[in-house]
Amino acid sequence: MKVEVSDLYEKFKDDLFRFARSIARHGQEANDLVQDAMIKSLNEPELLSLPEYKQRAWFFRVMKNRLIDDRRKEQRLTQWEEDLDFPIQLGVSHLEITDLLRHLPQDLSDLIFKRYWLGLSSQEIGGQFGVPASTVRYKLHLAIKRLRTILEEEK
């Protein structure tokens, strides 16, 4: 009897989703972990020849490693985003900042508003605009640089 990867999914799907939900923050993240593990299993033909308990362990390990990688990546991005802090605490009121934002093109002004007023991450903003988070961070960097220049010229 020949075993296919799709058979593995049918055989382990309940265990995989249960494990993924136990380690993930929310359902979507759990679904992504299971999907990623299934995609990786397509490139592992020797997985089909392993005993069932080792196949299950392989899936669990792949999902756990993916989650650890994602957490590390989030931590790096969060630290990087903290470097983009805008100097609101330097004595500039929200009204003055609103006035400053008029000096920026509309797309950069929207990015600043979403990042610093709404508190969205660059990943969330990128999802709304359909661009990568790195592009959002780059544009935020440009916008903050322009705002700092304007603030310095006004002093």
Side-chain angles (χ1 to χ4, degrees):
M1 180 177 149
K2 186 175 179 179
V3 179
E4 299 283 333
V5 172
S6 61
D7 296 334
L8 289 177
Y9 176 76
E10 289 301 321
K11 187 168 40 175
F12 296 129
K13 71 180 178 184
D14 292 337
D15 291 339
L16 296 180
F17 280 105
R18 189 175 316 112
F19 178 75
R21 281 190 297 265
S22 74
I23 62 173
R25 289 183 192 151
H26 47 79
Q28 184 59 46
E29 188 175 49
N31 292 341
D32 289 346
L33 291 173
V34 172
Q35 179 182 355
D36 184 61
M38 292 309 299
I39 289 171
K40 284 185 178 177
S41 72
L42 295 173
N43 295 324
E44 299 289 334
E46 63 273 1
L47 181 66
L48 299 173
S49 62
L50 295 174
E52 188 174 314
Y53 74 95
K54 285 190 175 185
Q55 292 172 336
R56 183 178 292 116
W58 184 90
F59 280 108
F60 290 171
R61 188 179 67 244
V62 166
M63 289 191 294
K64 182 180 169 193
N65 289 343
R66 161 78 194 276
L67 187 70
I68 290 169
D69 289 345
D70 288 349
R71 296 284 193 271
R72 286 179 181 157
K73 186 176 178 183
E74 283 175 18
Q75 192 174 13
R76 276 194 313 264
L77 292 177
T78 302
Q79 289 171 350
W80 197 85
E81 284 188 351
E82 287 172 359
D83 293 340
L84 293 175
D85 277 344
F86 185 67
I88 291 175
Q89 67 274 8
L90 293 178
V92 181
S93 72
H94 288 288
L95 189 61
E96 290 170 320
I97 291 177
T98 305
D99 188 47
L100 282 173
L101 291 179
R102 291 185 191 152
H103 296 285
L104 294 176
Q106 187 63 42
D107 62 327
L108 295 179
S109 178
D110 288 346
L111 288 177
I112 293 287
F113 179 77
K114 289 183 180 210
R115 175 69 177 103
Y116 296 102
W117 265 262
L118 300 179
L120 298 177
S121 70
S122 57
Q123 223 168 5
E124 292 168 325
I125 297 169
Q128 290 178 359
F129 289 115
V131 297
S134 58
T135 302
V136 171
R137 288 190 297 273
Y138 175 72
K139 287 184 175 183
L140 279 170
H141 172 75
L142 290 179
I144 291 170
K145 191 174 177 181
R146 283 188 190 180
L147 289 176
R148 282 184 177 146
T149 303
I150 293 168
L151 277 173
E152 289 173 7
E153 289 173 356
E154 288 182 354
K155 286 185 178 181

